[in-house]
Amino acid sequence: MAGRGLLGAWWWARGLGPVRQVGDPVLRGAAAPVAAGQAGGAEVRALVGALVRALRREEGCVGLSAPQLGVPLQVFVAELPERLLRRAPPPAPRPARQMRAFPLRVFVNPTLRVLDARLLSFPEGCRSLPGFSAAVPRYQAVLVEGLNEAGEETSWEASGWAARIVQHEMDHLQGILYIDRMDSKTFANLRWAQLAE
Ligand code: CO
């Protein structure tokens, strides 16, 4: 297959396993752009398919980047289904967090532009550091532009919670985790209350 070298032997030989955990060097490197002409190809479609399956397998997960599956390429997926909104947890009320459902979004080689630089700080988490959360300041609105899984140009003006997800996933493509940007005094074990009983 053309471009077999793109994703490397680790992809074709081993497939994609569980979500990589903090400490794994693949989460700390800068992801490479997908080469021109590869964006709509079979390998990138397979990678996107694996990301979407993993996203939907991980209960409550709303975004996932290729490095989190061990593939250091600039690809991420995001999705916020209505059913997840219905069980959004306290303490911050949903209106304050500006959580609105959105359909599956796929970005290959995305770039980010800040549209509204007001900062909102709410708790967020990451499947590469499960069981914890911390408040992270994120911009109110961003524009993300790139290619979709078919290699076609696509863009999205995301605001509120969707903008938070985009900024979190874009950070993954630069080797940045939310713990690098968090208000560290808000870092919490999600089960701290149960564990204290
Ligand atoms: Co994450």
Side-chain angles (χ1 to χ4, degrees):
M1 177 180 300
R4 173 152 299 198
L6 174 65
L7 298 183
W10 76 89
W11 158 265
W12 289 100
R14 292 163 40 199
L16 298 178
V19 175
R20 299 300 183 91
Q21 297 300 297
V22 62
D24 190 320
V26 75
L27 295 174
R28 288 310 200 169
V34 171
Q38 301 276 15
E43 286 173 305
V44 169
R45 286 174 187 268
L47 172 60
V48 168
L51 283 167
V52 172
R53 282 194 301 279
L55 178 79
R56 292 173 176 168
R57 182 177 69 220
E58 299 277 327
E59 185 58 28
C61 188
V62 292
L64 202 64
S65 62
Q68 290 179 280
L69 289 186
V71 179
L73 289 174
Q74 293 175 12
V75 181
F76 78 82
V77 300
E79 180 179 52
L80 182 42
E82 194 68 43
R83 68 175 175 80
L84 277 188
L85 274 189
R86 285 196 290 270
R87 29 168 293 233
R94 197 185 308 161
R97 287 181 289 176
Q98 302 177 44
M99 277 187 175
R100 290 177 290 272
F102 60 83
L104 179 67
R105 307 278 182 168
V106 174
F107 282 94
V108 175
N109 295 351
T111 60
L112 187 79
R113 188 149 61 87
V114 177
L115 298 179
D116 184 335
R118 284 177 293 175
L119 290 169
L120 299 177
S121 194
F122 289 110
E124 64 182 61
C126 179
R127 290 308 150 122
S128 293
L129 304 86
F132 297 91
S133 80
V136 182
R138 299 289 190 186
Y139 297 121
Q140 162 67 40
V142 296
L143 170 68
V144 57
E145 297 176 288
L147 304 173
N148 64 17
E149 71 277 16
E152 303 157 342
E153 289 186 8
T154 185
S155 66
W156 184 26
E157 286 188 20
S159 67
W161 204 258
R164 174 173 300 274
I165 295 167
V166 168
Q167 290 165 81
H168 179 116
E169 301 312 325
M170 289 296 292
D171 275 351
H172 273 301
L173 304 184
Q174 296 298 318
I176 297 167
L177 300 173
Y178 81 83
I179 52 175
D180 305 333
R181 300 196 188 276
M182 69 180 176
D183 171 357
S184 59
K185 287 185 177 175
T186 67
F187 185 65
N189 185 314
L190 291 172
R191 296 180 61 235
W192 69 266
Q194 296 101 296
L195 293 169
E197 284 169 3

